[in-house]
Amino acid sequence: MPITPATATNSPSSGTAEPILLELVDEDGVTVGTAEKLSAHQPPGKLHRAFSVFLFDERGRLLLQQRALGKYHSPGVWSNTCCGHPYPGEAPFAAAARRTYEELGVSPSLMAEAGTVRYNHPDPASGLVEQEYNHLFVGMVQSPVRPDGNEVAATAFVTPEDLAERHAKDTFSAWFMTVLDAARPAVRELTGPSAGW
């Protein structure tokens, strides 16, 4: 496995990179500790805090990203605008804004909380498990996307109809439909009835 920020450790073979820690939580989302990122995703998985962002353009189209092929987890699959994990002690809203900028080169506008969802999704391709307490956010993207090629292979703006077609033929992340369905009430409030979400 190639050394990536997610798998790097403090060892002679990988220089001085620190392991990335995730915040472990209980079923109510209360912090109970930390774990190294890769170990938290190894079966059976440890319940940890995550976030998912859904950004829309002024026409009500959802910005999707295709995860870079070099990702250690779910490479090359399509997913929501941005997802990830807050650092221990970092507010989910701040982490969502930070990672959206790091991955896509844009700062969300009108970003708002859209609830939480808890799920357990094994990823058959990698053998890893997503045991997540996920904070959802919706917002607008009002400037050109400038993806980081190490994080994002491609982007696309889609209507609900476009998404249905794409979802039928392309591979999506194991968690995508769970987080989208949980965010739909906030998505509809943001985009209005004419967008069709």
Side-chain angles (χ1 to χ4, degrees), residues 1 3 9 27 29 36 52 61 71 74 79 82 94 99 101 106 113 117 127 152 173 176 181 188 192 196:
M1 175 187 304
I3 301 272
T9 58
E27 294 292 337
E36 189 276 324
S52 289
R61 298 180 304 168
K71 291 277 211 183
S74 302
S79 199
C82 181
R99 283 303 290 163
Y101 185 80
V106 293
E113 295 182 10
V117 63
V152 179
S173 64
F176 174 73
D181 287 345
R188 291 183 185 121

Side-chain angles (χ1 to χ4, degrees), residues 56 60-64 156-163 166 197:
F56 297 82
R61 298 180 304 168
L62 171 60
L63 174 59
L64 297 178
F157 282 97
V158 297
T159 65
E161 295 76 21
D162 298 334
L163 177 59
R166 188 179 287 266
W197 293 101

Side-chain angles (χ1 to χ4, degrees), residues 50-71:
F51 64 82
S52 289
V53 178
F54 297 85
L55 297 185
F56 297 82
D57 67 9
E58 292 177 356
R59 294 166 51 189
R61 298 180 304 168
L62 171 60
L63 174 59
L64 297 178
Q65 72 153 276
Q66 183 183 29
R67 294 165 61 85
L69 294 175
K71 291 277 211 183

Side-chain angles (χ1 to χ4, degrees), residues 93-140:
F93 186 94
R98 173 180 58 79
R99 283 303 290 163
T100 300
Y101 185 80
E102 290 171 356
E103 291 187 7
L104 295 161
V106 293
S107 295
S109 56
L110 303 175
M111 193 165 79
E113 295 182 10
T116 59
V117 63
R118 191 261 195 253
Y119 52 79
N120 175 4
H121 284 303
D123 176 40
S126 68
L128 299 175
V129 177
E130 287 290 4
Q131 280 265 24
E132 293 189 330
Y133 187 94
N134 197 313
H135 297 256
L136 308 172
F137 299 95
V138 300
M140 303 290 292

